[in-house]
Amino acid sequence: VIVDRYDTIVIGAGQAGLAMSRVLSDRGVDHVVFERGRLAERWRSERWDSLRLLTPNWMTRLPGQETVRTDPDGFMTKDELVGMLESYAGSFGAPVRENVNVESVSRTRHGYEVLTDAGRFAAHNVVIATGQCATPSIPAFADALDVEQMHSARYRNPATTPPGGVLVVGAGASGLQIAGELRDAGRDVVLAVGRHSRAVRSYRGMDLWWWLDRIGSLSQTVDEVEDIEAARSAPSLGLSGGDRDIDLGTLRDRGVVVAGRLLGAAGRVVDFDTNAVADAAVADTRLARLLDRFDAWAAAEGLDSELAPGSRPRPVVLDRPLSGPVDLAERGIGTVLWATGYGPSYPWLRVPVLDARGEIVQRRGETASPGLYVLGLRFQWRRDSHFLDGVGRDAEHVGDHIAARRAAAVA
Ligand SMILES: Cc1cc2nc3c(=O)[nH]c(=O)nc-3n(C[C@H](O)[C@H](O)[C@H](O)COP(=O)(O)OP(=O)(O)OC[C@H]3O[C@@H](n4cnc5c(N)ncnc54)[C@H](O)[C@@H]3O)c2cc1C
């Protein structure tokens, strides 16, 4: 029995689902947003307590958003962001139904059937906004480890982390920040570092995102990059939300022990590679090239006299990083904290639009199945597609498509 019919069903009430709801409301499209938890659930329950956004407030512009934040250069806490998303949803009466879990989506003759734990629904269109960061990516050899383990999605603060030393795996933004926080709380911390990306919080007096915005990096589309797969899997920028720079050098100064990439594990013994110095050098070179691009842009725009002079960060010097087999118990390490990122997951999707890796095949959010859309993927259309600031543009595109489909059906 079909409980209700809608023109469009949106799955997920994070920023992507809410931006979609705003766009559909503006276009008069009858819709509902099903959210299995609470609105913005992942910001509430899958982020650590001290997290501040990496992106400044001026870079949080959702469709039709009226709130102008008092401090455009500040960085919201996760709780502030949840509050902002709640008031955004309230500002246009977003039809969000919380605590409704979507259990399957299948194609029918007229559109889609969406089975939930609150009944069966029908719609002409379905927008999947369940998040790029849906399921923790943890290497398979984790099963062979005989110590406490935790993914960064479950990390909250040092006090709720099992006592003793911690091996943090991964030097993206999450790994760097969590390693620093644990170390500042007095823990022994080893940080396993593979291919990573070094960044600076600001350069020549301006925030990193200002530069990335100005040089046109954030607005690059999938058609404008040479290797889109490489761009989609590039390591996240090594940043923290706030004033201070965070990189392997500053962490080492705070007492974090840097190790090579984690290759494998058995029992309490883990194996690190010998490439940490080389990986750090690559990250330094890439950062220097990025700063060169900033300088070239400033010169071309005639801004050299207005901007502060460029002072380059010193290359990271690692003093004999840990490598080879290491007995965690001997080093007093009782916990491995995986800061190894996330992957998408659509176990409920019964429409054949996934590739061999389980990713949705799409172009600007449109899939090969008419009326089935996705939002919020990494580099979905532009480099900023999965950021708070970018998802709205993709939502507008999908909204236009849905409105055009409706107009065509009526005609
Ligand atoms: C640690 C971290 C820090 C980040 N920092 C920034 C930052 O500073 N700036 C920035 O712009 N971006 C940042 N991002 C990236 C991005 O903004 C977030 O990942 C954001 O949560 C993505 O929003 P979303 O709406 O696409 O997905 P999500 O926030 O993941 O929302 C998806 C929603 O779908 C719901 N859902 C899932 N499955 C179902 C189902 N079957 N039925 C019903 N509901 C379902 C979930 O409960 C969830 O509420 C960060 C990401 C991470 C992981």
Side-chain angles (χ1 to χ4, degrees):
V1 189
I2 299 289
V3 180
D4 234 327
R5 291 171 197 278
Y6 298 94
D7 183 276
T8 300
I9 291 175
V10 180
I11 311 173
Q15 71 226 19
L18 295 175
M20 191 69 247
S21 180
R22 170 69 201 230
V23 163
L24 293 174
S25 301
D26 287 350
R27 286 159 179 71
V29 176
D30 163 52
H31 70 284
V32 67
V33 183
F34 289 139
E35 165 56 53
R36 69 175 168 196
R38 295 157 296 173
L39 189 150
E41 185 61 49
R42 289 220 169 88
W43 290 107
R44 296 176 198 265
S45 58
E46 297 187 19
R47 310 276 191 264
W48 57 95
D49 296 347
S50 65
L51 182 137
R52 276 184 183 274
L53 291 189
L54 300 177
T55 45
N57 293 337
W58 63 263
M59 254 190 81
T60 301
R61 296 167 289 205
L62 291 168
Q65 194 179 17
E66 281 145 27
T67 352
V68 178
R69 295 202 46 97
T70 42
D71 177 10
D73 297 321
F75 299 89
M76 263 183 270
T77 63
K78 70 181 175 74
D79 294 343
E80 286 170 338
L81 177 63
V82 170
M84 192 214 83
L85 291 174
E86 274 176 340
S87 59
Y88 178 61
S91 72
F92 60 93
V96 178
R97 284 193 57 183
E98 293 185 317
N99 303 310
V100 176
N101 185 38
V102 170
E103 293 169 349
S104 80
V105 172
S106 33
R107 203 158 155 61
T108 61
R109 256 189 325 141
H110 303 293
Y112 296 91
E113 189 177 282
V114 176
L115 177 66
T116 75
D117 54 5
R120 210 175 278 277
F121 297 83
H124 295 303
N125 308 292
V126 168
V127 182
I128 298 169
T130 51
Q132 170 86 51
C133 300
T135 159
S137 301
I138 297 175
F141 59 73
D143 288 344
L145 258 174
D146 186 18
V147 293
E148 293 275 353
Q149 297 181 47
M150 180 192 273
H151 186 269
S152 56
R154 294 276 160 269
Y155 171 75
R156 291 291 159 270
N157 55 53
T160 56
T161 306
V166 182
L167 166 62
V168 178
V169 185
S174 303
L176 294 176
Q177 288 180 40
I178 293 171
E181 178 166 276
L182 287 166
R183 179 64 206 141
D184 291 350
R187 300 297 187 93
D188 283 335
V189 177
V190 173
L191 176 63
V193 175
R195 190 173 69 105
H196 62 281
S197 179
R198 187 179 176 196
V200 283
R201 182 70 266 176
S202 65
Y203 181 63
R204 301 185 67 178
M206 304 307 285
D207 189 75
L208 179 75
W209 296 100
W210 181 88
W211 286 103
L212 292 172
D213 185 54
R214 292 308 144 103
I215 67 167
S217 171
L218 298 175
S219 59
Q220 266 192 319
T221 70
V222 293
D223 295 335
E224 291 165 349
V225 293
E226 250 173 54
D227 183 347
I228 183 60
E229 289 315 316
R232 282 188 176 133
S233 59
S236 71
L237 291 171
L239 277 178
S240 70
D243 293 335
R244 73 172 160 183
D245 275 343
I246 190 161
D247 57 46
L248 300 184
T250 60
L251 285 179
R252 185 215 41 222
D253 294 346
R254 284 155 76 184
V256 169
V257 174
V258 175
R261 178 188 168 84
L262 190 59
L263 297 173
R268 290 168 188 225
V269 178
V270 294
D271 192 18
F272 299 110
D273 79 8
T274 53
N275 290 341
V277 170
D279 284 335
V282 170
D284 272 333
T285 307
R286 290 172 64 93
L287 174 60
R289 271 199 227 125
L290 184 65
L291 299 182
D292 287 344
R293 283 174 66 195
F294 294 171
D295 284 339
W297 176 85
E301 297 291 318
L303 291 175
D304 274 333
S305 55
E306 278 177 50
L307 292 165
S311 123
R312 296 289 177 114
R314 275 181 293 144
V316 164
V317 179
L318 296 179
D319 183 24
R320 284 179 292 121
L322 268 188
S323 64
V326 169
D327 186 321
L328 293 178
E330 274 175 19
R331 285 196 77 96
I333 291 176
T335 306
V336 172
L337 200 151
W338 302 104
T340 36
Y342 304 79
S345 163
Y346 311 101
W348 37 265
L349 186 58
R350 308 268 179 273
V351 189
V353 291
L354 302 183
D355 66 14
R357 290 169 307 171
E359 309 252 2
I360 294 181
V361 180
Q362 56 81 33
R363 184 164 168 87
R364 282 195 96 167
E366 296 165 39
T367 71
S369 184
L372 183 68
Y373 304 90
V374 63
L375 270 185
L377 299 186
R378 210 165 175 207
F379 220 138
Q380 172 164 314
W381 172 243
R382 299 187 355 162
R383 198 185 298 278
D384 60 4
S385 277
H386 75 294
F387 290 132
L388 275 151
D389 203 45
V391 72
R393 221 169 272 104
D394 291 347
E396 304 267 3
H397 179 80
V398 169
D400 286 346
H401 212 268
I402 287 174
R405 254 169 73 79
R406 200 171 49 145
V410 171

